[in-house]
Amino acid sequence: MAGETDLNILLRTLKPSLNKGNYVFISVKDIQHISRDNILFEFKEKEGITIILEQAKADELNFKYEFVASWITLTVHSALDAVGLTAAVSTALTKHNISCNVVAAYYHDHIFVSTKDTKKAMEVLSEFSGK
């Protein structure tokens, strides 16, 4: 099934959904000692492997982190070549001084915001669809 590319439709049908839990970004040199079941996201950079884990799992594994985030899924099925969705979402959040880290996956975009900004971020994102 192809994802949506029309920005107006994407924004109208954004339907942000808050996932339970708190999440952290960490960087490791290798992930062999971490169960893949515990890794939400992984990206290899030249400095190390960035992974996103539930905060509780990171604590259990004694990882250090600096940023604790809430995870919001934009449930609209956006096409990987859709233009403007990330810009529109980040611009709207910026107007409320909310930092966002965006991860685009095959079906959905995922927004990570500081836990202190969760409620306001959900309100801002819900405004696109007039909820």
Side-chain angles (χ1 to χ4, degrees):
M1 172 197 306
E4 181 60 58
T5 59
D6 184 292
L7 182 59
N8 290 320
I9 294 172
L10 285 167
L11 294 175
R12 243 188 0 260
T13 59
L14 206 61
K15 295 182 187 163
S17 175
L18 179 62
N19 296 281
K20 291 183 181 181
N22 293 330
Y23 298 85
V24 297
F25 289 64
I26 61 170
S27 180
V28 295
K29 291 299 177 193
D30 91 60
I31 58 170
Q32 292 180 1
H33 62 286
I34 306 167
S35 170
R36 295 295 299 242
D37 291 340
N38 295 322
I39 298 173
L40 177 63
F41 169 84
E42 160 190 338
F43 195 90
K44 294 178 186 176
E45 299 178 283
K46 76 177 176 184
E47 298 87 354
I49 302 168
T50 297
I51 59 175
I52 302 174
L53 302 170
E54 286 188 55
Q55 182 183 17
K57 183 51 69 175
D59 289 342
E60 180 183 313
L61 296 171
N62 294 313
F63 284 119
K64 303 258 187 273
Y65 49 84
E66 299 173 13
F67 178 70
V68 180
S70 293
W71 168 24
I72 301 169
T73 298
L74 306 180
T75 62
V76 63
H77 179 186
S78 56
L80 290 169
D81 61 348
V83 176
L85 180 60
T86 300
V89 166
S90 63
T91 297
L93 293 172
T94 296
K95 290 178 182 176
H96 296 276
N97 201 36
I98 299 173
S99 170
C100 67
N101 294 278
V102 180
V103 174
Y106 189 85
Y107 292 102
H108 307 288
D109 291 270
H110 305 273
I111 312 297
F112 291 86
V113 300
S114 175
T115 54
K116 70 178 176 50
D117 296 323
T118 304
K119 182 178 178 190
K120 186 63 179 177
M122 286 296 292
E123 290 171 4
V124 169
L125 295 173
S126 293
E127 288 174 7
F128 282 110
S129 57
K131 282 185 174 179

